[in-house]
Amino acid sequence: MSYEEKGTWVGLVVGVTVYLGYLAVVLGRLAGTPAAAVSYVPALLLAVGVSIVASIVARIGVEIARPSDSHSGDVRDREIHWLGDRIGQRMLMTAALAALGLALFEAAYFWIANVLYLGFVAASVVGSVVKLRAYRRGM
């Protein structure tokens, strides 16, 4: 498994795990409370921070446990990365348009922020799945 593919796996696992933890916390707070009154900002900022730190630590841990032969990607790695990012960015763009629509209809900040965060996570997950599929099945 290449260095780039290992990094894709780490990003996918960390991103999904942290987002599910964030959802558990925020949905628990949302139960029986109006969205405008839910304290989501600290949880959202913590989730983003934990995701960044956990990705770095996990990537280092994976490289210590199973070192890669090379840390530089080849042409195939770059093409796979480009394909995954291009498709993942469609998810982000869709979420941004949804958030814009919510803002235009003056929805609560809670919904706007969570649609954007969902878009970032969806873009990462979809992009990672596309990349992993390309690594396994070819382009």
Side-chain angles (χ1 to χ4, degrees):
M1 188 179 303
S2 73
Y3 176 76
E4 296 296 328
E5 186 178 357
K6 289 178 190 177
T8 301
W9 274 110
V10 166
L12 178 62
V13 170
V14 169
V16 169
T17 303
V18 171
Y19 184 70
L20 291 176
Y22 170 77
L23 275 182
V25 169
V26 171
L27 291 177
R29 292 178 184 173
L30 186 60
T33 306
V38 173
S39 174
Y40 69 94
V41 174
L44 180 59
L45 294 175
L46 181 64
V48 171
V50 166
S51 190
I52 292 167
V53 171
S55 292
I56 293 168
V57 170
R59 184 79 182 251
I60 292 169
V62 167
E63 280 304 308
I64 289 172
R66 294 183 180 244
S68 298
D69 294 334
S70 172
H71 291 124
S72 62
D74 58 8
V75 172
R76 180 175 178 256
D77 286 324
R78 285 189 292 276
E79 288 177 359
I80 288 172
H81 183 77
W82 177 82
L83 175 67
D85 282 353
R86 189 184 70 175
I87 293 173
Q89 286 175 357
R90 291 179 184 167
M91 297 299 295
L92 183 57
M93 194 163 144
T94 302
L97 290 172
L100 178 62
L102 288 170
L104 291 173
F105 288 104
E106 299 178 0
Y109 293 142
F110 172 85
W111 295 115
I112 297 169
N114 280 286
V115 163
L116 286 172
Y117 185 38
L118 173 62
F120 283 118
V121 173
S124 176
V125 168
V126 169
S128 293
V129 168
V130 167
K131 290 174 190 178
L132 292 172
R133 184 174 175 167
Y135 275 117
R136 295 292 166 202
R137 296 187 181 175
M139 291 189 53

